[in-house]
Amino acid sequence: MKKPLLVFSALALGISSIIAPVTATAALPLSVNNQQVPSLAPMLEQVTPAVVSIAIEGKHVSRQRVPESFRFFFGPDFPAEQVQEQPFRGLGSGVVVDAKKGYVVTNHHVIEGADKIMVQLADGREVSAELIGSDKMSDIALLKLEDADNLTEIKIADSDSLRVGDFAVAIGNPFGLGQTVTSGIISALGRSGLNIENFENFIQTDAAINSGNSGGALVNLNGELIGINTAILGPNGGNVGIGFAIPANMVKNLSEQILEFGEVKRGVLGVQGGELNNELAEAFGYETNHGAFVSQVMPDSAAQKAGLKAGDIITSINGKAIRTFGELRAKIATLGAGKTVKLGVVRDGKKKEFNVTLQESAQTKVKADNLHKGLTGAEFANTTNSDGVKGVKVTSLEERSMAARYGLEKGDIIIGLNRSPIRNLGELRKALDKQPSVLALEIKRDDAILYLVIR
């Protein structure tokens, strides 16, 4: 049986796919026979300078274990594995969200594996960019432009107020042609279950978007950002009028967490469930099938502490209606740990409200094996102790591991590295990316401060 032709495709574009740019067509007149003709041009003149093109360079690294027979013949010093590096290039799009600080939002898959990131502005300038942080599970990344001034930022709309049928305009860099604008409508909201990302709450649009549009802007007729284009559904990755964007509210929440913590501090509600169908809604005294059905509340979770029960139907978050369990999952995960949210719930046919303080996901813990060989065997997480000291805590440590041999202990809090303060995992990663030959870790252990030197 042949595989179906319809496939989901991330929109970043390999550079080998670039074709020659086409010339723009002449603009329509603003009036005909002294009558005004509708045009998007005035709005686009204000918005398009905020949408940029992104070019990356990097290396794909592949590792292959060498057969033991090779080491037998060539001696124990022969490498245990062969490492091959394959250079690659790629293209995508991005959106300036803070002109003063030079912050640009794009997709994680656009910059994944990049050693060099170059951004071309709408006026033709090219500037380098630094990766502040990214989140693979929601496909969002935040960049900072270096030495760039006179930038234009885009205003972020409340994506929770969108309705099916609202007009939408997509701006990006499809096929490497350069900045391109297409228009359409919002076709659907709260799309999930597509297996494109881990947390899905997509805006669906029929505005034509194609490969290379990843990270580009989806805006409303006021020129406000309503979403970041991320994927398409079509034969061989081509446009068939079904594209998906990450809602602007999710983008804003994730970007703020990356700025504050260096990573996404994912929130957890602590419920399991599924989509609400007509039979379930009728059985639990609910009049529509919009909402998230709770089949289980996890022990000692945020949901249990707030009073939620199995059989509840969650219908809103902070006064905004939700349609599906997938939408609930995505919004909770991107709101951030420690946030207090108000959940609208239907229980036994009656409406109730619960204030829930979200817990931190265990997935925010990071194994240190890939950070530095001297830290192998440790697991880290962001922390703030009772004195208000922020740092990176050793949450677990394998016995006789490299990290343990260097003297690291479970419960240690890393607060400095080579005389630079470390307040979170993002700062630790950034410091280790410079590949220092020696690590002088400043450690808070109980009430003492000590240094561990790792080579």
Side-chain angles (χ1 to χ4, degrees), residues 387-415:
D387 298 329
V389 176
K390 293 184 176 181
V392 175
K393 185 175 183 178
V394 181
T395 57
S396 67
L397 187 68
E398 297 177 8
E399 292 184 13
R400 295 186 292 276
S401 66
M402 189 69 72
R405 291 177 196 172
Y406 275 114
L408 211 60
E409 296 182 5
K410 182 179 179 181
D412 284 352
I413 301 176
I414 301 172
I415 58 175

Side-chain angles (χ1 to χ4, degrees), residues 1 68 122-123 127 156 177 187 194 255 262 300 371 380 422 451:
M1 181 181 294
E68 288 297 325
D123 59 13
V127 295
I156 298 179
L177 292 170
S187 307
L194 306 178
S255 300
D300 201 34
L371 295 177
F380 296 146
I422 299 296
Y451 279 88

